[in-house]
Amino acid sequence: MSVDNRRTARKASSGDSAPGEIRRRPKNRRAQIAAASAAAFGALGYHGVSMEDIAGGLGVSSAALYRHYPSKYALFREELLRVGRAMTESIELPEEAADWPPEQRLRHVIDALVAVTIENRPTVTLVRWEGRYLDPEDQITRNEQQAAVLDALGTHLSALRPDLTDDDQRILRAALLSTVTSIADHHANLPVKAIARLLRSAAWSIAHTNLPEQRAVEPVTVVEIPSSFKHELLLRKAVELFHERGYPNVSVEDIAAAAGLSAASAVYRFYRGKSDILTAAFRRAAEQVSGAIGPAVTAATDSADALTTLITQYVAGSFTERDLAFVYYTEFQHVPAEDRAMLRNIQRLSVEEWARLLRDVRPALTPAEARFLIHAGFAVVVDLGRSFGNEPIAAQDRVRLLMRRVLFGGPESPQERA
């Protein structure tokens, strides 16, 4: 580096300009801002990030950021809807597709969705979990984008499988999209080609699933909590409110009122504060999954049998506590930092045990590939629950089968269980 270049570098790092020097903004500054904001929003949620945080990550001033975006919301909105547009554009077929058979068309759409999801992984997290913070008009746009993707998947599924009922097509297309976008729910890493191959294979297994006939929805028993059992009542009411409004929009006063307490101060007899309640909810959800592993393995005849039992229990638990399952995915960034490591360790060890069992069944999978599939299976269960609720088309036996397809593979899998 020359003396002049070293002087320029020192001036740039100190924020000063050399006399007469013209400092030019990078041509791709707006794209840099979008990428940085996507990573920040994806990691900490919309409410957990400020413009100062994003500017600091880029090494620029907040004023520089505001030259491109008038507010944090404008940045959030543009990035979320940009990826929504990218997903809708990816499902458009080229002109030559008019001569393609249905299988080739569906494969093309799945491949395109996989590619755009991998390319925009941090922002897909926003599309999946933070879209509820959009203004109503923008929410309509986001919903239209998702509907377009689902409609395209459904159209090509029906062309490939004309025997499908409308209801079966609806649940299969939702499971397809959930499987592809599940990589936004975790931070496991694989080479891009390996991720694409794994997601394509899992999606194709979903596409060829023969669902059992619809029947009466299995009743979900929700245990009533006596009003005198305030500790549990507060926890349940808080989770319901976090699910309905989002953690940042719920106060201790709201929780107290929902639990029938006369004053917010009564909450502090049981929890140190709102974040303490959230941590308790997360710990319960994590330990329900981890606590089931030992008994399932002990009682099983082999790893496939143990996984089948765990799938059944996971689906049943998610159906019983849908609000908690949703909050578990959407509010982790609001858990106090000192508790996150503990919760991450519990989740990581649970996923590792599921992945170990899966590799016994499918030894060709690497540990990382098995983890990706476990996360995809979890996502399918949670997404179908929030999309269809108690509709018969998403009854537990159907959701269990779809989770097994993601984990075990195609319909020809010898590990299939009724």
Side-chain angles (χ1 to χ4, degrees):
M1 180 184 287
S2 69
V3 173
D4 287 341
N5 286 339
R6 287 198 297 272
R7 183 182 299 118
T8 300
R10 285 197 299 272
K11 293 290 186 181
S13 64
S14 66
D16 298 327
S17 298
E21 178 186 350
I22 299 175
R23 297 189 64 192
R24 292 181 174 86
R25 301 175 205 156
K27 291 182 179 179
N28 64 339
R29 174 62 81 197
R30 194 175 178 89
Q32 289 179 344
I33 293 171
S37 68
F41 288 137
L44 299 174
Y46 173 63
H47 288 90
V49 178
S50 67
M51 291 291 268
E52 289 72 21
D53 295 330
I54 298 170
L58 287 166
V60 301
S61 67
S62 298
L65 218 57
Y66 283 110
R67 282 197 291 268
H68 295 274
Y69 295 94
S71 66
K72 182 178 79 166
Y73 179 80
L75 181 52
F76 170 73
R77 171 193 179 279
E78 179 170 312
E79 183 61 12
L80 196 152
L81 296 183
R82 178 192 67 79
V83 172
R85 286 194 302 274
M87 295 183 79
T88 58
E89 291 168 1
S90 74
I91 59 174
E92 297 175 1
L93 294 174
E95 290 184 8
E96 60 267 26
D99 298 324
W100 291 354
E103 177 177 338
Q104 187 176 358
R105 293 183 187 181
L106 180 58
R107 284 191 182 277
H108 179 90
V109 169
I110 290 174
D111 288 353
L113 278 174
V114 167
V116 77
T117 299
I118 293 173
E119 182 181 355
N120 296 280
R121 187 175 180 182
T123 306
V124 174
T125 300
L126 305 183
V127 175
R128 282 179 59 74
W129 303 113
E130 297 285 294
R132 59 180 168 167
Y133 296 122
L134 287 169
D135 290 344
E137 184 176 347
D138 295 328
Q139 182 72 55
I140 291 173
T141 301
R142 189 193 79 93
N143 291 341
E144 289 173 346
Q145 290 172 340
Q146 179 162 311
V149 173
L150 289 171
D151 286 347
L153 287 171
T155 296
H156 298 306
L157 265 172
S158 294
L160 178 67
R161 300 183 57 187
D163 58 306
L164 287 177
T165 66
D166 289 343
D167 282 349
D168 287 358
Q169 182 236 76
R170 285 173 60 210
I171 191 172
L172 289 179
R173 71 184 189 180
L176 272 172
L177 184 59
S178 177
T179 299
V180 171
T181 58
S182 66
I183 63 169
D185 297 345
H186 60 91
H187 301 290
N189 283 314
L190 275 172
V192 168
K193 289 184 179 179
I195 297 176
R197 182 176 63 250
L198 196 67
L199 293 180
R200 285 197 301 263
S201 176
W204 204 242
S205 294
I206 290 286
H208 285 84
T209 298
N210 294 314
L211 293 165
E213 291 185 9
Q214 292 186 43
R215 55 189 180 191
V217 176
E218 302 168 37
V220 175
T221 303
V222 179
V223 178
E224 291 296 326
I225 300 175
S227 59
S228 59
F229 200 6
K230 296 301 184 186
H231 180 273
E232 284 294 316
L233 192 59
L234 281 167
L235 185 60
R236 176 174 292 180
K237 294 302 181 182
V239 168
E240 290 174 359
L241 290 172
F242 296 157
H243 171 255
E244 179 185 346
R245 304 179 192 174
Y247 177 85
N249 299 322
V250 176
S251 67
V252 173
E253 289 77 11
D254 294 331
I255 298 169
L261 299 179
S262 58
S265 58
V267 174
Y268 300 110
R269 296 203 300 267
F270 306 96
Y271 296 97
R272 289 170 294 187
K274 187 174 72 164
S275 63
D276 196 38
I277 300 176
L278 184 65
T279 298
F282 267 78
R283 180 147 198 163
R284 175 161 299 182
E287 290 180 345
Q288 283 176 351
V289 175
S290 64
I293 295 172
V297 172
T298 300
T301 56
D302 55 25
S303 294
D305 188 36
L307 264 181
T308 299
T309 298
L310 289 174
I311 290 169
T312 299
Q313 293 176 348
Y314 185 82
V315 171
S318 295
F319 271 60
T320 302
E321 298 192 76
R322 282 204 174 102
D323 289 354
L324 180 57
F326 183 82
V327 167
Y328 191 79
Y329 275 86
T330 56
E331 309 295 351
F332 185 77
Q333 65 272 14
H334 299 296
V335 173
E338 61 270 19
D339 295 317
R340 285 183 210 157
M342 173 269 294
L343 290 167
R344 281 199 182 99
N345 283 335
I346 295 174
Q347 183 192 53
R348 178 180 57 80
L349 291 173
S350 296
V351 171
E352 289 287 352
E353 283 301 310
W354 279 65
R356 181 184 63 79
L357 294 170
L358 182 57
R359 291 189 69 220
D360 287 343
V361 178
R362 299 177 63 182
L365 293 174
T366 67
E369 288 171 339
R371 289 193 294 272
F372 264 80
L373 290 179
I374 298 303
H375 283 294
F378 290 164
V380 166
V381 175
V382 174
D383 285 348
L384 293 181
R386 65 173 173 153
S387 295
F388 299 104
N390 291 318
E391 290 186 50
I393 67 171
Q396 289 192 39
D397 59 336
R398 293 176 143 226
V399 177
R400 288 195 297 266
L401 176 58
L402 290 168
M403 189 176 186
R404 288 198 299 266
R405 283 286 183 260
V406 173
L407 268 57
F408 290 144
E412 74 284 354
S413 170
Q415 285 76 28
E416 186 57 45
R417 296 289 191 273

